[in-house]
Amino acid sequence: MDKKFVEAIVQYAGGIPLVLEVWSRHFTDYDRNLWPSMLETLKRIPHEDTQKKLRISYDSLPKRAQNLFLDIACFFHGMSKDLIVKVLQDEDFFPDVEIQNLVHKFLVKYAESIYPGDKILSLHNAIEEMGQEVVRQEDEDEPGKRTRLMGYRDVIRVLGDCSVKYH
């Protein structure tokens, strides 16, 4: 990798360490001959739009990993990895593998727990906000049409709409 290429990545990342960290893994997951095309894609993201810069890594995930990431961003941030695995695991889905993929992509990190051997899933605030924004964009006006409800206002709005429709 040449110096000009690295300087371009730093420039397009806006010098933001979190974006550089996420992009570093994003680039290393692809063959080097694809990097110039990837850089062209990143170049088109507005300089001030950190969420879009972070979303590049989210968009590259398989659908199941995307869904798990959104679950963590909306509900499970700060919770035990073992508990999350128990809640979400079924005969066709093994979240511990997908969690490791999210950690590999620097979208999720492990934090220490007060219990030995337990790992807490943690997200940087900007990454958590990016995930929640992905959900909000599913339907900005109607929270009941989203895949997840976040916050009491959305829940009250949806429950209030239900009580009006079904009385």
Side-chain angles (χ1 to χ4, degrees):
M1 186 174 354
D2 69 349
K3 185 178 177 184
K4 277 184 132 179
F5 189 79
V6 172
E7 288 172 351
I9 291 172
V10 171
Q11 178 186 350
Y12 300 140
I16 300 170
L18 177 64
V19 173
L20 289 168
E21 181 180 50
V22 170
W23 282 6
S24 71
R25 187 64 68 176
H26 184 67
F27 274 92
T28 58
D29 284 345
Y30 290 90
D31 194 62
R32 279 183 184 239
N33 63 358
L34 297 174
W35 289 7
S37 299
M38 293 168 64
L39 190 60
E40 283 302 311
T41 303
L42 300 175
K43 187 180 183 177
R44 295 182 182 140
I45 299 172
H47 185 69
E48 66 284 347
D49 199 338
T50 303
Q51 283 193 358
K52 276 191 181 173
K53 292 175 183 182
L54 294 170
R55 186 166 173 163
I56 292 287
S57 189
Y58 164 81
D59 288 338
S60 72
L61 294 169
K63 192 69 175 159
R64 282 194 159 186
Q66 285 181 347
N67 281 324
L68 177 61
F69 170 76
L70 295 178
D71 287 342
I72 294 168
C74 294
F75 309 122
F76 296 128
H77 176 185
M79 294 181 73
S80 164
K81 174 192 173 232
D82 293 339
L83 177 63
I84 296 166
V85 168
K86 284 179 188 173
V87 168
L88 297 177
Q89 187 166 334
D90 64 29
E91 60 194 41
D92 296 323
F93 182 56
F94 301 95
D96 48 344
V97 174
E98 295 299 342
I99 288 170
Q100 188 57 45
N101 188 18
L102 296 174
V103 169
H104 172 77
K105 296 270 191 184
F106 293 129
L107 292 172
V108 174
K109 294 190 179 205
Y110 291 125
E112 290 300 314
S113 170
I114 59 171
Y115 303 105
D118 190 21
K119 296 177 181 175
I120 302 298
L121 294 186
S122 177
L123 293 93
H124 188 283
N125 288 345
I127 292 176
E128 181 181 32
E129 288 171 12
M130 180 267 297
Q132 291 175 357
E133 185 59 27
V134 168
V135 173
R136 263 190 293 283
Q137 288 176 359
E138 292 172 352
D139 195 311
E140 292 184 29
D141 299 324
E142 293 292 327
K145 293 181 180 177
R146 298 178 193 155
T147 56
R148 295 155 184 84
L149 295 176
M150 300 167 296
Y152 72 94
R153 288 187 178 141
D154 286 349
V155 173
I156 289 172
R157 182 170 174 192
V158 170
L159 291 177
D161 288 349
C162 289
S163 65
V164 171
K165 291 178 186 174
Y166 299 108
H167 256 98

